[in-house]
Amino acid sequence: MPYVNTIERVEREKALQQGVEQGMAQGLERGLERGRHQGVEGTLRKQLALKFGELPDWADERLAAATDAQLADWVVRILEADSLESLLGKN
């Protein structure tokens, strides 16, 4: 039965290689998503600081906890916002 063992070994190696490739692709995608998120957040922080001055702790916390959708919304709304509170919704 060495032939069966060889086939099983080849199949296992293929499956392992596919798993490694899939894991690397998923890790790369997550890294890219995180990088995009950090880039948008960083740009928004700069815009907020230029428009409203130094950010208070509550605003910093809101930005740090924001989802991609929230950041995208704030990036658009900052153009018309008249205060941090009206933009970020201080709790």
Side-chain angles (χ1 to χ4, degrees):
M1 294 248 184
Y3 182 73
V4 172
N5 289 336
T6 301
I7 291 173
E8 288 174 350
R9 188 178 69 239
V10 168
E11 292 295 322
R12 261 186 273 144
E13 289 174 4
K14 282 182 184 178
L16 178 62
Q17 183 62 34
Q18 287 175 340
V20 168
E21 290 172 4
Q22 182 181 10
M24 290 177 68
Q26 289 173 347
L28 178 61
E29 183 61 31
R30 279 190 226 135
L32 290 171
E33 288 173 10
R34 184 175 180 199
R36 282 189 292 267
H37 181 92
Q38 289 174 339
V40 172
E41 181 183 337
T43 299
L44 183 58
R45 284 177 182 280
K46 289 176 187 174
Q47 292 174 330
L48 291 168
L50 285 170
K51 187 167 183 172
F52 301 115
E54 187 175 340
L55 298 178
D57 289 342
W58 69 265
D60 186 60
E61 291 168 7
R62 291 275 294 162
L63 288 168
T67 65
D68 289 343
Q70 286 174 313
L71 291 175
D73 179 54
W74 293 336
V75 164
V76 173
R77 291 182 41 228
I78 190 175
L79 296 173
E80 296 177 354
D82 57 358
S83 70
L84 274 173
E85 292 81 357
S86 68
L87 180 65
L88 302 180
K90 182 178 177 182
N91 292 338

